[in-house]
Amino acid sequence: MGEFIVEALLSAVFAGATVAVGRDARRVHGVRRRGIRTTGIVIDIRETTDGDGDAQLYPQVRYTLLDGRKVTGEGGAHAVRSPLSEGDGVELLYRPEDPERIILIAYDRHMNIWVYGGLSLLLGAMALLCALSAVVSLSQSA
């Protein structure tokens, strides 16, 4: 019974990760397909750490929307060092309904629908395998 619980929990974790990555993939794909292209200036690099304590660097970019409003958006994380510095000009994509969430065209290549799609499939397969393993271990213990 203990094996079943562990495998069922792993299945739930992988399923949750699949949903989260899938939602992010959908957002990234939408911005890449229907986003408005503009240029901006890096005004800051926000630094945080991930769960392992590794540095995660997020470029903060100031740009102007089509209606003339100035907005600050945040690019994707870069580990170790950012390829950008304050004052650098960048090309970006944004969606009018959520202009603060941006993709930096030359620097956020890891935010690719194929990468996210492949990761979603891998996580989904892991969830399915854990669920099947849980069912098998439950049937063997009965």
Side-chain angles (χ1 to χ4, degrees):
M1 185 66 157
E3 278 184 43
F4 169 76
I5 292 171
V6 170
E7 291 164 345
L9 286 173
L10 280 173
S11 178
V13 168
F14 282 122
T18 301
V19 170
V21 169
R23 284 180 54 201
D24 223 22
R26 186 170 176 248
R27 182 191 69 79
V28 166
H29 182 64
V31 172
R32 286 202 182 277
R33 252 187 20 167
R34 295 183 297 277
I36 296 171
R37 182 180 279 228
T38 190
T39 58
I41 302 290
V42 177
I43 60 169
D44 191 23
I45 306 290
R46 182 175 69 85
E47 185 173 342
T48 63
T49 56
D50 64 11
D52 297 332
D54 297 326
Q56 298 291 304
L57 306 170
Y58 295 87
Q60 308 294 304
V61 179
R62 186 94 164 138
Y63 53 99
T64 306
L65 302 179
L66 291 176
D67 64 9
R69 288 183 294 144
K70 297 237 183 252
V71 175
T72 300
E74 183 172 89
H78 297 275
V80 183
R81 67 173 193 83
S82 175
L84 299 168
S85 301
E86 286 184 40
D88 286 350
V90 292
E91 282 190 284
L92 60 102
L93 293 168
Y94 72 91
R95 302 252 331 253
E97 59 271 14
D98 190 10
E100 289 82 19
R101 298 191 64 177
I102 62 175
I103 293 177
L104 302 177
I105 294 169
Y107 301 98
D108 289 341
R109 295 184 193 276
H110 63 281
M111 298 177 84
N112 180 310
I113 188 66
W114 295 106
V115 171
Y116 278 108
L119 188 56
S120 293
L121 287 174
L122 177 66
L123 289 169
M126 293 297 293
L128 182 61
L129 287 174
C130 287
L132 288 173
S133 179
V135 168
V136 167
S137 68
L138 185 61
S139 68
Q140 288 177 347
S141 67

